[in-house]
Amino acid sequence: MYQLVDASFDIEGKTILQPTSLTFNKGQVTTLLGHNGCGKSTLVKLLSRQNSPSHGKVLFVGKAVSEFSHQDFALNVAYLPQHPPITDGVTVRELVCFGRYPWKGAFGRYSKHDYQLVDDAIEKVGLTPFKDRFVATLSGGERQRAWVAMLLAQQSKCILLDEPTSALDVAHQYELLALIRELNQSLGLTVIMVLHDVNMAAKFSDELIALHSGKVIASGSPESMMTPQTLQQIYGMELALFPHPETGKPISYIP
């Protein structure tokens, strides 16, 4: 679905992302890992057209992302930044309605079908009892669910999430990532996201991509990436592994 062809990003003479070639598979959850400043968010911003590559190409379904109109791109790709806009005075339903904007434009009138899609999205994330609540009054986990509902109402083929769990406690991180995984599987959504927690990433992803100093240093399935050697390469510290008592999948910890 997405492809980077020798794509790089420089700012003020400094290379933030070195020339990178990657392919992101349709219908999968792909997670970007690495320490702060390694280039994860920069890569997502190239995919979402927040930044343009300094060199190389970023392709979506074989076409340069720069060649899409704003509307056509939004109909295909939905993006949730690390710090979403402030939503004071906006209800959950009003926020989710914003997801229909690419389909209607500034002056388009919403139909019964649009409102049904909005209500369906709210139901999918489990917020129907809160749809008339102000977003600002929700818990952190509930707010993130509301933003995910807005992305669902947009009906895009692919969603990009930059650190969606960064402000959440462990329980809410798990709930949100389980929801994203369920939506990926039930709706066939392609998901590309940035996470810090390698154990959460391994549990809920099909593919992991690790960056260090603006360069991809490893990629593959969670099983192939969860080794002491690879984790040492990614995080620059020793991490040990033990098998999950039920699934047998490796879990990392600091020895």
Side-chain angles (χ1 to χ4, degrees), residues 19-65:
T20 300
S21 294
L22 284 172
T23 298
F24 296 88
N25 294 320
K26 182 179 180 181
Q28 289 193 345
V29 176
T30 302
T31 297
L32 307 177
L33 294 168
H35 59 79
N36 288 336
C38 69
K40 304 184 301 295
S41 292
T42 297
L43 200 160
V44 170
K45 286 178 180 177
L46 293 181
L47 298 177
S48 62
R49 301 205 315 181
Q50 302 300 302
N51 291 333
S52 298
S54 302
H55 305 282
K57 298 178 181 179
V58 179
L59 307 176
F60 182 81
V61 293
K63 180 179 176 180
V65 295

Side-chain angles (χ1 to χ4, degrees), residues 29-32 40-41 44 47-48 77-82 144 147-149 151 158-165 176-177 179-181 183 189-195:
V29 176
T30 302
T31 297
L32 307 177
K40 304 184 301 295
S41 292
V44 170
L47 298 177
S48 62
V77 178
Y79 167 62
L80 182 62
Q82 185 176 348
Q144 289 297 78
W147 283 105
V148 170
L151 302 188
C158 176
I159 61 174
L160 307 175
L161 307 166
D162 191 356
E163 297 192 32
T165 62
L176 181 66
L177 293 175
L179 169 66
I180 291 168
R181 184 56 154 166
L183 295 171
L189 282 177
T190 301
V191 180
I192 302 170
M193 60 182 173
V194 173
L195 292 179

Side-chain angles (χ1 to χ4, degrees), residues 183-209:
L183 295 171
N184 152 254
Q185 294 177 336
S186 63
L187 302 177
L189 282 177
T190 301
V191 180
I192 302 170
M193 60 182 173
V194 173
L195 292 179
H196 278 291
D197 190 317
V198 66
N199 289 321
M200 290 286 194
K203 181 174 180 60
F204 293 109
S205 306
D206 298 297
E207 186 90 0
L208 303 179
I209 297 174

Side-chain angles (χ1 to χ4, degrees), residues 6 12 26 31 53 62 70 78-79 115 145 151 179 188 212:
D6 290 327
E12 296 179 355
K26 182 179 180 181
T31 297
H70 291 299
Y79 167 62
Y115 287 120
R145 284 173 172 265
L151 302 188
L179 169 66
H212 193 290

Side-chain angles (χ1 to χ4, degrees), residues 27-254:
Q28 289 193 345
V29 176
T30 302
T31 297
L32 307 177
L33 294 168
H35 59 79
N36 288 336
C38 69
K40 304 184 301 295
S41 292
T42 297
L43 200 160
V44 170
K45 286 178 180 177
L46 293 181
L47 298 177
S48 62
R49 301 205 315 181
Q50 302 300 302
N51 291 333
S52 298
S54 302
H55 305 282
K57 298 178 181 179
V58 179
L59 307 176
F60 182 81
V61 293
K63 180 179 176 180
V65 295
S66 59
E67 295 178 7
F68 286 83
S69 69
H70 291 299
Q71 183 181 29
D72 285 344
F73 190 72
L75 297 181
N76 285 281
V77 178
Y79 167 62
L80 182 62
Q82 185 176 348
H83 302 292
I86 295 172
T87 52
D88 290 349
V90 176
T91 67
V92 169
R93 197 165 190 252
E94 288 169 341
L95 175 66
V96 179
C97 279
F98 293 152
R100 300 303 300 158
Y101 177 83
W103 297 87
K104 296 296 178 178
F107 302 105
R109 298 185 63 177
Y110 285 14
S111 65
K112 288 183 180 180
H113 177 65
D114 292 307
Y115 287 120
Q116 185 62 57
L117 290 172
V118 167
D119 289 337
D120 288 347
I122 294 171
E123 183 178 0
K124 282 186 174 72
V125 303
L127 286 182
T128 299
F130 305 101
K131 67 180 181 181
D132 295 320
R133 285 261 304 270
F134 289 114
V135 176
T137 68
L138 301 178
S139 70
E142 290 163 350
R143 278 198 299 274
Q144 289 297 78
R145 284 173 172 265
W147 283 105
V148 170
M150 188 197 74
L151 302 188
L152 291 179
Q154 194 170 323
Q155 290 194 303
S156 302
K157 301 173 183 177
C158 176
I159 61 174
L160 307 175
L161 307 166
D162 191 356
E163 297 192 32
T165 62
S166 61
L168 304 182
D169 59 38
V170 173
H172 284 112
Q173 287 181 37
Y174 184 92
E175 289 176 1
L176 181 66
L177 293 175
L179 169 66
I180 291 168
R181 184 56 154 166
E182 192 278 325
L183 295 171
N184 152 254
Q185 294 177 336
S186 63
L187 302 177
L189 282 177
T190 301
V191 180
I192 302 170
M193 60 182 173
V194 173
L195 292 179
H196 278 291
D197 190 317
V198 66
N199 289 321
M200 290 286 194
K203 181 174 180 60
F204 293 109
S205 306
D206 298 297
E207 186 90 0
L208 303 179
I209 297 174
L211 292 94
H212 193 290
S213 303
K215 183 179 181 180
V216 174
I217 57 171
S219 64
S221 67
E223 291 76 16
S224 68
M225 293 280 282
M226 291 290 279
T227 68
Q229 296 80 11
T230 301
L231 295 177
Q232 168 79 36
Q233 190 180 9
I234 296 170
Y235 295 107
M237 63 181 296
E238 181 183 353
L239 292 171
L241 297 163
F242 69 92
H244 189 283
E246 294 181 2
T247 66
K249 292 184 176 181
I251 298 173
S252 68
Y253 68 97
I254 301 174

